[in-house]
Each structure stands twice: as structure tokens, then as C-alpha cells.
């Protein structure tokens, strides 16, 4: 039996690690565990299954001996960007005055993702429990196949330019030996900066939590969980940005790179009244090894730590069969340079020959996605209709992930979702076995704006809509 359980854990771990996910509050999931996800992610003060550890490890003290297996089918579609036909043009020639995105509406490919999860909890004695939770913390995925997103961010192959970047002649002249012995003023030798398709990024994150709880008494539980984190990242089609990087060889098309690290998750759940339960948890930043193959893309030479998370919750038992619950969650994206550094900055110094300043891609203050820390407000309802059936519903709202001026780089990460509308059900086949279902719909949201420092007058928007379906089995023993 122990061998069988170990094989289950290894199977789920490997599957989660190779599954893509694009999460909904920034790049974090809107919840973990089918029951929580059916209530818009509420869980800080309402432990319902072994995936509660992902929100508040102290909740495991109220779960008992149980095991959960789940799988989500996630669709982040439609998602993409709109580029308007208002980029700067030279009034005398009509030619563009700088980089621009080809006007039009473009949608990312890859519409459905499989995201498994696993949880296990064992009661050691009347005060202590120990468990294991394996889940996809979050991720991000875009893939544009129709045309290179950044096709107008590099000059034509082997074009010769003056020191100020202007063509050497009119019409422009080209280096005949660009692929063998390029001249010093060759702006794009052998097309090394020419964008290709697909234009894509893929970020996947797996968390393994080992929650231990200690009950101060019958009503109060403290939890601590070491967290092991694994992530991988791949970028393609970003060749023009090598010109803006302190390490141009490690910006794009370097395959999948892996990063490892960990942190700590702390929590408390207290039944302060017959009807009221409170909960609080804090998960530290995940300190991760660098993504060396993308050291020229992310700030600080490939640093991509996972931000800390705070959760506060209250649940109220209105009647014996009706529970209302509310959570506040803060995700500290603003503390991670690769995520929070602005991309709406003056990049002219990054385009100049010679050593590049720290504000260029990959530098200690390098360009990022411009994200702010996010506040999420969640409300959920649980109704035990009868001994066999329970119904759940919820709604959540997230603050803006970034200002409009940061939209350009977020063509690759259009995390625009604000509202989540969710529902779900549980069917109890027996005292030991339950089957759970959840559905979440996230209506389309847009982030509109202009990156005046890079694409000048051109305006545009990034957009996304999402759907999430999850089913799971709970076994109590």
C-alpha cells in the first residue's frame, strides 16, 4: 500500500511539472482544490480538503485522514493583443519613425491545458497532523503563430546605418558580407535580430508543500509547511530584444530552462465562536535559482523568484447547512524585479554600441513587465442541500495588474482578468468517498494604453477571457 501511494505521488508530481497553466490572479491560480475553486478561491478560514494547504497550511488540522486527486481543464482564451494604426510616421516619407507593432488583432494559440493536483493528510494524534500537497501554483503561456509580434523592432538584415541609427544612404545600403564578416555599422548582421515565429513564452510552476499542524486546543490550529518549488521557462521569437540586452545571447530561443528553490508557509485557523472561524497565512517569497539561459531577458541576470502571498479569511455558519466565507489575498508581485520593473522607459542608451547600462534587459535594474502587487477579494457560499449533495458558489475581484503604459511587454503575458464567477457541487457516494466539480468563468478584460518610450504614439490593448473546469475525488480513511 505504501509503495502504491508513493507511485501516485511521483506520477502526479511529474504530470503537474509537465503541464502548462496560465493562472488568473496575475499568474497565480484563483484557488487550489476543487471545493475552494468552486467558491472563488475562498479557503483561509474554511478548510475543506487537503489542497487547503496551498492557501493556509493550518487548515489541515481540521481535515482528518484523507486523500484528494484532481484535474483541471483550463482555457485562457480568447487572449491576445490589439495594435492600432496610429504609430508615428515621417510626414515627408510616410515611413515609421521607430519601432511599432503591426496593426491588427491577434489571438494566441493553445487553448486548453491540463493541470492535475494531489493532496494527502494523516492525523498523527489528537494534536498533530502531517501531509503533502502537490499543485500547480501558476504559470503563463502565449503563442502567436500568425506573424512575428516584434517584426518591426529590428532593421532589415545587413542594413548599414550611421552612428545615430539612420541609413547610410537613401535608399539604404546593405552589407554584402553580413553573414561572414559583418561591417561595424551593420545593424542586423545575418538577420540575427530578425523576429521569427512562433512568438511565445511558457512559464510553469510546481509547488510541493509538506504541511505540519499542531492544535493548541480543539478550536485552534497552527500550521507550518516547507515549500519546494520547481519552475521552467521558455521564450521564442524575441530576437530583436537582444539589441537591448546586457547579454544578447541569452534572450530568446534557448529552449526550456529549469529553476529550483523554496520557501516557507505559515498559518493559523481559529474557531473563535460556534459560528465564526478566522484564518490567516503568509507564504514567503520562493527563492529560486537563476534562469541562466534567459539571463539577458530577466532583471538581475535571470532572477525569477516567486512572490510572497498573504491570505486573511473569515467564515460564518449562518445555519447548520449554510456557510458564508470571505478572503482577502495579497500577492507581492511588486517585490520581484523581473515582474515589476517598468518597460515604459527610455531605451536609447540600450541601443547604443558599447557597454549597456543596468536598465537594459538582464541588467540589475533591467526592463520588466511593470506589474504591481495585487489585491484580491473573494466571497463564497456553501450549502449542504442534504447528506448526499452540497452546492457552492463564489465571486472574486482583483485589482489592476499593471498601468496602461506597461502593456507592450504584456503582449506576452496579458494577465488582465479581474472578475471570477464560480460554482460547483459535491456528491457523497459514501462516508469515505466524494466526487467534486467546479466551474469558473472569467469575462474578458482589456488593458489599454501607450508605451511612449518604445512605440511612441501607437496605442493598443492586451485582452484575455478564461474558463476553468475541475473534477476531483476525495477519499477519507
Amino acid at each position: 500500500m505504501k509503495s502504491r501511494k508513493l507511485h501516485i505521488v511521483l506520477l502526479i508530481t511529474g504530470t503537474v511539472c509537465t503541464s502548462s497553466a496560465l493562472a488568473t490572479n496575475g499568474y497565480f491560480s484563483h484557488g487550489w482544490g476543487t471545493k475552494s475553486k468552486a467558491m472563488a478561491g475562498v479557503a483561509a478560514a474554511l478548510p475543506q480538503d487537503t489542497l487547503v494547504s496551498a492557501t493556509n497550511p493550518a487548515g489541515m488540522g481540521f481535515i482528518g485522514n484523507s486523500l484528494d486527486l484532481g484535474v483541471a481543464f483550463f482555457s485562457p482564451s480568447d487572449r491576445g493583443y490589439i495594435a492600432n494604426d496610429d504609430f508615428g510616421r515621417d510626414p515627408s516619407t510616410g515611413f515609421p519613425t521607430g519601432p511599432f507593432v503591426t496593426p491588427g488583432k491577434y489571438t494566441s494559440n493553445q487553448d486548453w491545458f491540463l493541470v492535475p493536483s494531489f493532496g494527502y493528510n494523516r492525523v498523527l494524534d489528537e494534536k498533530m497532523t502531517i501531509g503533502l500537497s502537490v499543485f500547480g501554483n501558476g504559470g503563463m503561456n502565449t503563442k502567436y503563430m500568425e506573424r512575428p509580434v516584434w517584426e518591426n523592432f529590428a532593421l532589415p538584415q545587413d542594413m548599414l546605418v550611421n552612428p545615430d541609427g539612420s541609413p547610410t544612404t537613401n535608399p539604404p545600403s546593405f552589407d554584402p558580407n553580413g553573414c561572414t564578416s559583418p561591417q561595424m555599422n551593420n545593424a542586423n548582421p545575418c538577420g540575427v535580430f530578425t523576429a521569427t515565429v512562433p512568438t511565445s513564452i511558457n512559464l510553469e510552476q510546481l509547488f510541493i508543500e509538506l504541511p505540519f499542524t499542531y492544535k493548541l486546543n480543539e478550536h485552534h490550529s497552527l500550521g507550518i509547511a516547507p515549500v519546494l518549488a520547481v519552475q521552467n521557462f521558455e521564450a521564442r521569437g524575441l530576437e530583436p530584444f537582444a539589441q537591448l540586452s546586457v547579454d544578447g545571447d541569452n534572450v530568446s530561443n534557448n529552449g526550456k530552462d529549469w529553476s529550483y528553490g523554496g520557501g516557507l508557509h505559515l498559518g493559523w485557523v481559529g474557531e473563535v465562536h460556534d459560528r465564526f472561524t478566522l484564518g490567516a497565512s503568509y507564504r514567503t517569497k520562493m527563492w529560486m535559482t537563476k534562469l541562466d539561459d534567459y539571463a539577458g531577458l530577466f532583471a538581475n541576470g535571470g532572477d525569477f523568484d516567486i512572490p510572497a502571498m498573504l491570505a486573511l479569511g473569515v467564515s460564518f455558519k449562518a445555519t447548520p447547512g449554510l456557510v458564508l466565507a470571505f478572503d482577502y489575498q495579497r500577492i507581492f508581485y511588486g517585490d520581484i524585479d523581473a515582474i515589476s520593473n517598468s518597460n515604459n522607459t527610455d531605451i536609447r542608451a540600450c541601443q547604443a554600441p558599447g557597454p549597456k547600462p543596468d536598465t537594459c534587459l538582464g541588467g540589475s535594474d533591467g526592463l520588466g513587465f511593470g506589474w504591481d502587487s495585487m489585491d484580491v477579494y473573494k466571497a463564497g457560499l456553501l450549502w449542504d442541500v442534504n447528506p448526499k449533495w452540497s452546492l457552492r458558489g463564489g465571486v472574486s475581484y482583483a485589482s489592476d495588474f499593471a498601468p496602461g503604459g506597461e502593456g507592450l511587454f504584456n503582449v506576452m503575458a496579458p494577465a488582465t482578468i479581474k472578475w471570477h464567477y464560480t460554482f460547483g457541487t459535491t456528491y457523497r457516494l459514501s462516508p469515505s468517498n466524494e466526487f467534486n466539480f467546479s466551474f469558473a468563468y472569467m469575462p474578458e478584460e482589456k488593458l489599454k494604453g501607450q508605451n511612449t518610450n518604445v512605440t511612441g504614439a501607437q496605442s493598443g490593448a492586451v485582452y484575455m477571457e478564461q474558463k476553468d473546469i475541475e473534477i476531483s475525488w476525495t477519499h477519507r480513511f
Side-chain angles (χ1 to χ4, degrees):
M1 182 64 181
K2 288 183 179 179
S3 176
R4 182 179 296 177
K5 288 180 180 177
L6 178 61
H7 283 124
I8 291 174
V9 173
L10 292 175
L11 175 62
I12 295 295
T13 301
T15 306
V16 173
C17 209
T18 56
S19 297
S20 296
L22 195 153
T24 59
N25 289 322
Y27 71 77
F28 278 27
S29 177
H30 75 280
W32 296 277
T34 311
K35 295 175 181 179
S36 171
K37 291 174 76 173
M39 298 176 67
V42 166
L46 187 63
Q48 299 183 81
D49 57 33
T50 56
L51 272 300
V52 69
S53 177
T55 302
N56 187 349
M60 296 289 256
F62 296 92
I63 294 301
N65 295 313
S66 58
L67 176 148
D68 290 278
L69 292 174
V71 61
F73 304 90
F74 181 76
S75 174
S77 294
D78 289 335
R79 69 191 186 283
Y81 67 95
I82 301 167
N84 295 323
D85 191 8
D86 53 5
F87 57 86
R89 294 176 171 86
D90 186 305
S92 59
T93 65
F95 290 143
T97 56
F100 68 99
V101 179
T102 303
K105 181 176 182 178
Y106 302 92
T107 300
S108 172
N109 295 73
Q110 291 190 288
D111 289 341
W112 286 95
F113 300 92
L114 187 77
V115 187
S117 59
F118 168 83
Y120 174 80
N121 194 51
R122 168 67 72 175
V123 177
L124 301 177
D125 57 33
E126 62 181 13
K127 285 188 174 293
M128 295 183 290
T129 71
I130 193 166
L132 171 68
S133 300
V134 182
F135 55 93
N137 179 66
M140 187 65 68
N141 176 287
T142 48
K143 187 175 184 180
Y144 300 103
M145 296 293 296
E146 186 173 347
R147 64 189 308 154
V149 174
W150 313 114
E151 61 185 334
N152 304 306
F153 279 62
L155 292 174
Q157 178 176 332
D158 297 321
M159 181 174 169
L160 297 175
V161 297
N162 294 311
D164 64 357
S166 62
T168 54
T169 58
N170 190 9
S173 57
F174 294 85
D175 184 354
N177 300 312
C179 290
T180 55
S181 181
Q183 299 180 31
M184 289 293 293
N185 60 336
N186 186 332
N188 188 6
C190 207
V192 67
F193 300 131
T194 300
T196 59
V197 290
T199 308
S200 65
I201 67 165
N202 188 57
L203 170 68
E204 303 166 358
Q205 293 180 340
L206 166 73
F207 275 23
I208 303 173
E209 288 205 6
L210 303 169
F212 171 81
T213 70
Y214 180 83
K215 275 196 167 183
L216 301 174
N217 54 45
E218 183 182 353
H219 302 290
H220 293 267
S221 172
L222 298 176
I224 183 170
V227 186
L228 306 176
V230 181
Q231 64 181 354
N232 67 67
F233 177 81
E234 182 176 10
R236 292 186 287 176
L238 310 184
E239 294 91 345
F241 292 105
Q243 305 168 92
L244 308 178
S245 175
V246 300
D247 184 1
D249 292 334
N250 289 302
V251 171
S252 185
N253 295 60
N254 288 337
K256 186 176 290 189
D257 195 12
W258 292 82
S259 171
Y260 310 90
L264 196 63
H265 200 173
L266 306 171
W268 162 75
V269 174
E271 296 174 337
V272 297
H273 184 271
D274 289 346
R275 293 191 174 190
F276 281 99
T277 300
L278 302 179
S281 73
Y282 179 75
R283 193 176 72 197
T284 68
K285 178 171 71 172
M286 298 292 112
W287 290 273
M288 307 297 291
T289 58
K290 291 189 175 184
L291 293 163
D292 293 325
D293 291 340
Y294 295 94
L297 180 62
F298 295 125
N300 299 307
D303 266 356
F304 205 89
D305 292 335
I306 300 171
M309 181 183 76
L310 171 72
L312 304 173
V314 57
S315 64
F316 171 64
K317 184 175 288 188
T319 70
L322 182 65
V323 178
L324 306 176
F326 305 89
D327 274 14
Y328 164 75
Q329 179 187 49
R330 184 167 177 84
I331 307 171
F332 295 87
Y333 293 119
D335 293 343
I336 309 300
D337 290 344
I339 302 172
S340 63
N341 285 359
S342 175
N343 61 81
N344 191 3
T345 59
D346 190 339
I347 61 171
R348 287 175 294 183
C350 300
Q351 297 171 303
K356 299 185 184 298
D358 291 337
T359 53
C360 301
L361 285 169
S364 59
D365 193 27
L367 303 174
F369 290 92
W371 286 20
D372 297 324
S373 292
M374 180 175 286
D375 296 304
V376 187
Y377 306 90
K378 308 177 181 183
L381 179 147
L382 164 62
W383 178 29
D384 292 325
V385 180
N386 56 48
K388 287 286 188 181
W389 288 94
S390 294
L391 299 178
R392 296 176 177 84
V395 61
S396 74
Y397 176 81
S399 60
D400 288 336
F401 78 105
E406 304 291 347
L408 183 64
F409 277 23
N410 286 292
V411 165
M412 308 306 300
T416 59
I417 296 298
K418 291 185 177 182
W419 289 98
H420 298 71
Y421 302 100
T422 68
F423 71 88
T425 186
T426 291
Y427 174 72
R428 297 174 188 86
L429 183 65
S430 69
S432 299
N433 295 284
E434 299 176 351
F435 295 93
N436 312 291
F437 167 82
S438 71
F439 176 80
Y441 174 66
M442 304 74 156
E444 182 181 293
E445 296 281 353
K446 290 181 180 178
L447 177 70
K448 301 178 181 179
Q450 295 173 294
N451 189 316
T452 55
N453 282 290
V454 181
T455 49
Q458 187 176 28
S459 62
V462 294
Y463 63 92
M464 180 181 288
E465 175 186 337
Q466 297 177 346
K467 295 169 285 291
D468 182 90
I469 301 168
E470 181 163 309
I471 55 175
S472 67
W473 167 57
T474 299
H475 177 65
R476 305 189 190 281
F477 49 90

